[in-house]
């Protein structure tokens, strides 16, 4: 009986082991072949777990398949080129990778292991990508050229994909204290309009701005050109809708949204606005307007205003560079209408007409920016583009199944 029991036990153990063995063989069976080199089901499962642990976007299973096919192509190209990462280099690269998660390598690997991810999975992921980066640099770096103009353009391109441009019409109704109540009542009535023709008629009738000649119409402007406090207001408007009256110094402003669009090129976040103001006595007089016109004809840049103000009391000319949020609302609105070295004379202060000139808008990226850093970033972008082209060529020539 004991011999029979032993035979039964062996038979049972064999029967139980058979499915497990088949399952194990299935895990290590080829799921994809790339030029005859296999990607196994186990590799796909491990890479999907790794991507999930990294909170990578997309479906982990699909992304795992894409990445592993690409890495087979990269490894085959690296082998042809004789590129191989040393054991010391690989260990250092893995430690650097773990450091990005603010962990030593051993702790990082232990965390992955708790999620069923083997050390070899991280090793293979790091090895191919570090080797490929070095190969691309060695192959293409001498062919990459970055011009000063490209650096300047990069410094100006710091806006995000949500940046927008607005097409507005404007009215500013003069509202000195004796007429403030009447001006606000007229502004309240205009704010209820929904017709662009009606708004333009009001602009021609009551606006104090030169744009009244065009019915208050402005050209497309980046939303970031306007004071930050107005961004939400403009974005809340529907085309044709008019803003609520906006009190400013000795006036009331209204805006009608005609259209809105995503910026063709995302505008830069502005860190600083530099402007100059030259005070001309006699606000509201023909003489002051004539003097403003004369000054406009005599200057091309803000620096030229020093010549205009020579010999006059120094308080007549003020030049400042401030953060956009630090600008008074009326000055912020006025500067929003101007491009660098453009001027206007719509503002007044203490009985003087203020000849206002925009000197510069400084993008946030340009503040203390290191041109060498920007150059390196552009080189990296161009190398990445070359790498993408090479990978597509390798994919087009490859035999990938299924």
């Amino acid at each position: 009986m004991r011999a029979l029991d032993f035979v039964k036990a062996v038979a049972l153990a064999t029967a139980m082991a058979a499915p497990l063995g088949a399952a194990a063989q299935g895990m290590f069976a080829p799921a994809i072949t790339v030029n005859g080199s296999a990607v196994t089901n186990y590799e796909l499962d491990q890479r999907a777990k790794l991507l999930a642990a990294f909170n990578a976007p997309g479906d982990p299973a699909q992304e795992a398949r894409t990445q592993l096919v690409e890495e087979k192509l990269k490894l085959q190209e690296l082998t042809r080129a004789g590129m191989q990462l040393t054991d010391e280099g690989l260990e250092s690269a893995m430690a650097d990778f773990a450091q990005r998660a603010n962990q030593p390598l051993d702790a990082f690997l232990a965390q992955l292991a708790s999620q069923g991810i083997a050390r070899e999975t991280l090793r293979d992921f790091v090895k191919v990508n570090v080797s490929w980066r070095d190969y691309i640099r060695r192959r293409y770096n001498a062919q990459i050229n970055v011009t000063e103009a490209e650096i300047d353009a990069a410094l100006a391109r710091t806006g995000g994909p949500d940046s927008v441009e607005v097409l507005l019409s404007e009215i500013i109704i003069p509202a000195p204290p004796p007429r403030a109540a009447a001006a606000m009542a007229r502004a309240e009535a205009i704010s209820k309009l929904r017709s662009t023709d009606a708004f333009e008629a009001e602009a021609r009738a009551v606006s104090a701005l030169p744009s009244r000649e065009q019915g208050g119409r402005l050209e497309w402007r980046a939303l970031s050109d306007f004071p930050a406090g107005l961004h939400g207001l403009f974005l809340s408007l529907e085309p044709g809708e008019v803003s609520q009256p906006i009190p400013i110094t000795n006036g009331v402003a209204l805006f009608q949204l005609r259209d809105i669009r995503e910026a063709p090129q995302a505008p830069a976040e502005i860190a600083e606005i530099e402007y100059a103001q030259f005070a001309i006595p006699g606000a509201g007089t023909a003489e002051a307007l004539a003097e403003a016109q004369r000054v406009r004809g005599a200057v091309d840049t803000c620096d030229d205003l020093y010549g205009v103000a020579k010999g006059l009391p120094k308080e007549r000319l003020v030049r400042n560079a401030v953060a956009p949020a630090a600008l008074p609302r009326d000055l912020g609105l006025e500067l929003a209408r101007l491009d660098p070295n453009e001027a206007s004379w719509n503002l007044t202060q203490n009985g003087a007409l203020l000849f206002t000139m925009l000197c510069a808008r400084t993008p946030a990226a340009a503040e203390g920016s290191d041109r060498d850093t920007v150059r390196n970033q552009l080189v990296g972008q161009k190398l990445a583009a070359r790498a993408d082209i090479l990978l597509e060529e390798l994919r087009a020539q490859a035999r990938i199944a299924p």
Side-chain angles (χ1 to χ4, degrees):
M1 290 294 293
R2 277 184 287 179
L4 182 59
D5 288 342
F6 176 76
V7 171
K8 288 180 179 178
V10 171
L12 179 61
T14 303
M16 293 177 63
L20 296 175
Q25 288 179 352
M27 281 297 291
F28 290 97
I32 313 166
T33 59
V34 182
N35 294 325
S37 181
V39 176
T40 67
N41 289 313
Y42 174 77
E43 289 175 299
L44 287 170
D45 179 69
Q46 282 283 293
R47 179 58 61 87
K49 288 178 178 176
L50 186 69
L51 293 174
F54 292 165
N55 292 318
D59 175 46
Q62 183 58 47
E63 291 298 317
R65 182 183 181 89
T66 300
Q67 286 188 9
L68 288 168
V69 167
E70 290 181 349
E71 288 175 15
K72 286 295 182 184
L73 294 171
K74 292 176 181 179
L75 285 169
Q76 290 163 9
E77 178 67 14
L78 290 169
T79 299
R80 282 192 290 269
M83 290 280 293
Q84 186 174 359
L85 190 64
T86 65
D87 291 341
E88 294 80 5
L90 177 56
E91 194 70 17
S92 176
M94 290 175 66
D96 289 343
F97 193 91
Q99 186 59 44
R100 296 176 199 168
N102 298 315
Q103 287 184 307
L105 180 57
D106 288 344
F108 188 63
L109 289 170
Q111 182 178 329
L112 293 180
S114 70
Q115 300 174 65
I117 302 166
R119 174 191 178 96
E120 291 74 20
T121 299
L122 179 68
R123 179 201 64 195
D124 294 345
F125 176 79
V126 171
K127 180 178 181 179
V128 65
N129 285 290
V130 170
S131 300
W132 182 253
R133 180 196 64 197
D134 293 344
Y135 171 61
I136 292 299
R137 286 176 179 169
R138 181 181 299 184
R139 176 166 176 168
Y140 294 113
N141 205 51
Q143 304 173 27
I144 299 298
N145 179 50
V146 174
T147 67
E148 294 301 312
E150 287 176 305
I151 296 174
D152 291 337
L155 288 172
R157 285 196 308 270
T158 59
D162 295 330
S163 297
V164 297
E165 292 182 336
V166 288
L167 191 61
L168 298 169
S169 296
E170 63 178 358
I171 292 175
I172 288 186
I173 305 174
R179 302 207 308 268
M184 182 57 73
R186 185 70 178 265
E188 291 283 359
I190 294 172
S191 71
K192 295 178 172 58
L193 298 175
R194 293 296 181 269
S195 161
T196 54
D197 290 342
F199 189 91
E200 289 175 16
E202 291 288 347
R204 292 188 176 95
V206 301
S207 183
L209 298 172
S211 61
R212 64 181 176 272
E213 300 298 331
Q214 296 83 43
R217 285 175 169 255
L218 300 176
E219 299 298 323
W220 284 103
R221 301 293 302 191
L223 184 65
S224 59
D225 286 350
F226 293 92
L230 297 179
H231 293 180
L233 173 64
F234 292 162
L235 291 173
S236 71
L237 297 176
E238 297 290 336
E241 191 174 3
V242 180
S243 69
Q244 290 299 307
I246 303 168
I248 60 175
T249 305
N250 292 324
V252 183
L254 295 137
F255 293 91
Q256 184 179 53
L257 180 70
R258 305 201 318 269
D259 203 356
I260 188 168
R261 69 184 182 187
E262 185 176 340
Q265 175 176 304
E269 178 187 353
I270 302 302
E272 190 175 75
I273 293 179
E274 184 179 0
Y275 68 94
Q277 289 186 308
F278 177 65
I280 301 172
T285 65
E287 290 79 10
L289 291 173
E291 177 64 5
Q293 293 280 4
R294 186 195 70 78
V295 172
R296 172 70 274 190
V299 301
D300 294 318
T301 69
C302 289
D303 290 343
D304 297 335
L305 285 170
Y306 291 112
V308 173
K310 187 176 181 180
L312 298 175
K314 63 179 183 179
E315 60 268 18
R316 290 276 303 273
L317 177 62
V318 174
R319 185 166 178 173
N320 285 322
V322 300
L327 290 170
R329 177 172 284 180
D330 53 348
L331 179 56
L333 286 171
E334 196 64 29
L335 294 172
R337 301 181 184 94
L338 304 178
D339 290 323
N341 299 317
E342 285 187 341
S344 70
W345 41 94
N346 299 313
L347 300 178
T348 62
Q349 187 178 67
N350 300 327
L353 185 68
L354 296 179
F355 182 93
T356 303
M357 195 169 199
L358 176 64
C359 308
R361 291 187 180 95
T362 303
E367 264 200 319
S369 59
D370 183 343
R371 294 182 71 85
D372 286 339
T373 298
V374 176
R375 185 189 305 277
N376 290 337
Q377 291 171 347
L378 292 174
V379 168
Q381 292 170 12
K382 293 189 176 188
L383 286 172
R386 295 290 184 95
D388 289 343
I389 292 171
L390 175 58
L391 188 58
E392 285 306 311
E393 291 175 352
L394 296 173
R395 192 197 308 275
Q397 297 165 7
R399 300 182 310 278
I400 302 173

